[in-house]
Amino acid sequence: MPKLVIEIIHGPYGRENAYAGLFIAMGWVAVGNEVIVALHGDGVYAARKGQKDPMKEISLPSVEKQVMDILEEGGRVIADRTCIEVRGLDKEMLIMGVEVLDGDDLVELVFKEGERVITL
Amino acid sequence: MKSCVLLMKLPCTEGESWRIGEAIRAKGDSLFLLGDAVAICRKEYRGHAASIVSSVLSKGAKVNASARDLRARGIEASELPEGVKVIEDIEGDFIDVTMDQADRVIAW
Amino acid sequence: MVEKKTLTIMLASAPLGSQYADHMCRVALRALEKGHEVEIFLYGDAVHAQMNHQSPKLFFPVGEKLKELVVKGAKVYSCEICSVARGYISGQLTPDGKKDYSSTKVLDGIQFTTIFGFVESLARADKVLSFGGG
């Protein structure tokens, strides 16, 4: 099965990157492929649960919903543990189904599974 | 597994430094520096990604920097550590490695 | 004789504001010159690269390079929804059920596609590169 890794290092809403990357991920899994979304740096904020009605608040589509849709389609969304911790987040604050991996392990995985890698 | 990493930006955020760290750990074999990223080559650079290039070199990986981008930014060859190659047709070399040698390629 | 492979490139930044489009064009041209197939996807703000009549004068001529890429055989796809959002095309359905991609604002040879077109391009690529968004 064709594999794709999407790496996101920018937080949602302030820049289009998270939305754009997750949009590709969703299209990719929707046709039956395997995706890993790797969140590093500020990208981990995309995995935060409780993003309340961004469309109403700031006229931007919900990144939380994108993450949930991707997980529902069988995609993997993985946040870097160090990046989570330095931001004072923990797994309980993340959307259910989002995985947390140590940075080194996430790098290994990205290279192992990264037949195709998109960076945003 | 041979990997090739292309960097085009300076690591000014932690996420980006993380990304540079990945380049170090690359099973790789080749690091290509285009655009602003050529500045991380400099021996005297003490920023977030200091000594990154020497780390990559010490692992036996190849570091290739864009001659055009170095000259445009006023960076002299003497500022670069031993082992960094300054390449005129860097895009051509990058394509050769990417398409014909590397199993993995990641571009930032 | 080098084996012909397919390189799919995503561009996510607009011309002028950064060098990403410049780097992308150079890399894509070298790939074509070396005999590879090249597919490009303009995404997000990068769709501005498709604008006709770009005249950067003192900057790298992305529009000219894109035209050259098309002439030399690259497939240049542009994100439909991003292009509609930024006013390049209406994308509305015409009476015969097709989407209206007509525009005087867009370079010849640009092909509009949904994200699924990009997904297909990604799937057939031997190698994938990502430029911009930084």
Side-chain angles (χ1 to χ4, degrees):
Chain A
M1 197 186 287
K3 296 179 185 179
L4 174 67
V5 173
I6 300 188
E7 303 200 82
I8 300 174
I9 59 165
H10 295 284
Y13 307 118
R15 304 171 71 109
E16 202 190 12
N17 295 44
Y19 175 80
L22 294 168
F23 196 70
I24 298 169
M26 190 60 214
W28 184 259
V29 286
V31 298
N33 298 319
E34 280 184 45
V35 82
I36 292 174
V37 177
L39 303 172
H40 318 285
D42 293 330
V44 303
Y45 288 126
R48 206 187 153 138
K49 70 182 178 203
Q51 298 172 33
K52 291 186 185 55
D53 210 349
M55 183 54 77
K56 171 174 158 279
E57 300 289 2
I58 54 178
S59 300
L60 289 171
S62 170
V63 163
E64 179 169 4
K65 180 169 191 310
Q66 284 183 299
V67 170
M68 288 167 63
D69 287 347
I70 289 162
L71 290 168
E72 197 174 306
E73 290 290 328
R76 292 177 73 182
V77 178
I78 311 176
D80 181 313
R81 190 184 305 281
T82 306
C83 303
I84 298 271
E85 286 171 2
V86 305
R87 286 165 178 74
L89 303 175
D90 57 48
K91 193 147 196 271
E92 282 61 55
M93 295 166 79
L94 303 185
I95 297 160
M96 190 149 68
V98 170
E99 301 166 57
V100 176
L101 272 186
D102 284 342
D104 284 354
D105 294 336
L106 190 47
V107 171
E108 288 292 325
L109 189 64
V110 164
F111 274 91
K112 179 165 167 279
E113 302 294 313
E115 294 172 2
R116 303 160 187 79
V117 182
I118 296 276
T119 59
L120 273 164
Chain B
M1 181 189 285
K2 286 188 75 134
S3 62
C4 177
V5 175
L6 173 66
L7 293 176
M8 293 174 272
K9 62 183 354 173
L10 282 165
C12 56
T13 71
E14 166 225 334
E16 289 158 359
S17 295
W18 187 100
R19 182 53 42 215
I20 310 288
E22 179 186 88
I24 293 177
R25 284 185 285 251
K27 297 307 190 299
D29 305 300
S30 296
L31 177 61
F32 284 84
L33 304 172
L34 272 189
D36 285 347
V38 299
I40 69 166
C41 264
R42 296 174 53 246
K43 285 180 288 199
E44 297 308 315
Y45 176 58
R46 305 237 192 286
H48 237 313
S51 76
I52 179 154
V53 168
S54 47
S55 304
V56 174
L57 287 170
S58 72
K59 288 186 187 319
K62 298 184 180 33
V63 178
N64 306 286
S66 162
R68 196 189 295 124
D69 284 307
L70 283 163
R71 282 193 299 261
R73 289 161 178 75
I75 300 171
E76 308 270 356
S78 57
E79 296 179 56
L80 308 183
E82 283 285 320
V84 173
K85 292 223 202 96
V86 176
I87 314 272
E88 289 298 332
D89 179 24
I90 189 152
E91 293 87 5
D93 281 12
F94 173 66
I95 285 294
D96 285 340
V97 172
T98 293
M99 303 304 288
D100 302 329
Q101 298 169 34
D103 303 292
R104 295 286 184 261
V105 58
I106 305 187
W108 284 92
Chain C
M1 178 75 203
V2 85
E3 192 197 326
K4 196 183 245 227
K5 296 191 181 127
T6 298
L7 174 66
T8 290
I9 304 179
M10 182 191 84
L11 180 65
S13 289
L16 303 177
S18 64
Q19 258 187 310
Y20 292 112
D22 311 5
H23 297 315
M24 187 284 285
C25 290
R26 291 191 202 268
V27 168
L29 279 166
R30 289 304 276 125
L32 282 175
E33 284 159 13
K34 286 175 182 283
H36 298 295
E37 302 279 354
V38 172
E39 302 191 10
I40 294 166
F41 184 65
L42 305 176
Y43 193 38
D45 285 340
V47 301
H48 290 305
Q50 73 205 7
M51 174 75 102
N52 218 347
H53 308 304
Q54 291 174 53
S55 183
K57 299 212 161 42
L58 300 178
F59 284 64
F60 188 88
V62 171
E64 293 306 313
K65 295 296 179 184
L66 262 195
K67 281 199 266 192
E68 188 183 339
L69 283 160
V70 169
V71 160
K72 289 184 172 168
K75 296 195 180 64
V76 184
Y77 299 107
S78 175
C79 174
E80 174 194 302
I81 195 174
C82 307
S83 298
V84 169
R86 290 161 180 77
Y88 286 96
I89 52 171
S90 80
Q92 287 176 3
L93 286 179
T94 58
D96 59 357
K98 298 219 172 90
K99 284 188 193 159
D100 183 7
Y101 289 153
S102 63
S103 178
T104 53
K105 298 180 195 165
V106 175
L107 295 168
D108 284 341
I110 304 287
Q111 303 175 56
F112 293 98
T113 180
T114 65
I115 201 70
F116 292 106
F118 180 44
V119 162
E120 284 166 24
S121 176
L122 284 174
R124 59 177 171 257
D126 291 294
K127 292 283 157 51
V128 170
L129 291 174
S130 198
F131 285 80

